[in-house]
Amino acid sequence: MAAVAAPPAPVPPVAPPAPVSAAAVASSVQPAAAQPAATPSALWLIGSRLREYAASTFEQRKPWGEVLERTSFSKPSSLQEAAGRLRKNAGYFKINYLIIILLTVAVTLLTHPSSLVVLGSLAASWVYVFAIRQGPLVISGKELRWESIMKHMRVRADSISISSQQQQQD
């Protein structure tokens, strides 16, 4: 089962920039506080690129009949052969496995909506700490080092995960 890589997409030629008048440049210069952080066109561009990437990734999946073909299953003769088959299989069917994992996560989150809220709050804290926050993180007047921040975020993620698992079992 050798996977054949698709040829890379051709790169479109780059057009030279259009001439700009001095008046247009002067009118477009604004203080940094007045400029929006992300324009709708930038968000639309990011969204369209994500859709294109998802579509191209989805096209790389193998036929489901090939994934579930019963004649392909046989008992390996050794542990090394089993490990080799596993690596080869994971590489060949990685998109199919990714689809299965994403569907499982989606079903789990839909059947346990509280998990979605917990996951959202956890994601929001990670985004704040690592993407939004400007400058050092200060808690109780003490500036935290990078290692300390990572340790605290890991402990927070683990404690939220454990508490949400306990709530689902009750």
Side-chain angles (χ1 to χ4, degrees), residues 55-166:
S56 68
T57 301
F58 191 72
E59 289 172 359
Q60 295 175 13
R61 75 188 189 287
K62 305 299 181 211
W64 290 104
E66 189 177 345
V67 175
L68 303 172
E69 188 177 336
R70 290 179 49 156
T71 59
S72 298
F73 294 106
S74 64
K75 185 177 180 181
S77 60
S78 68
L79 186 58
Q80 290 176 341
E81 183 185 354
R85 281 191 194 179
L86 189 61
R87 276 193 296 276
K88 190 175 181 181
N89 224 347
Y92 188 71
F93 293 117
K94 65 184 170 193
I95 303 300
N96 296 75
Y97 295 147
L98 178 66
I99 291 169
I100 292 169
I101 290 169
L102 290 175
L103 287 175
T104 303
V105 168
V107 167
T108 301
L109 290 176
L110 289 174
T111 57
H112 299 287
S114 61
S115 297
L116 187 59
V117 172
V118 170
L119 185 62
S121 68
L122 183 62
S125 67
W126 278 87
V127 166
Y128 172 75
V129 168
F130 294 109
I132 296 175
R133 179 182 48 86
Q134 303 289 325
L137 183 62
V138 179
I139 297 178
S140 300
K142 183 179 177 183
E143 183 178 324
L144 297 177
R145 293 188 331 244
W146 178 255
E147 297 83 15
S148 182
I149 293 170
M150 289 300 292
K151 184 178 89 175
H152 283 87
M153 292 303 290
R154 172 68 191 264
V155 167
R156 183 169 193 263
D158 290 345
S159 64
I160 288 174
S161 175
I162 290 170
S163 67
S164 69
Q165 287 176 0
Q166 288 175 349

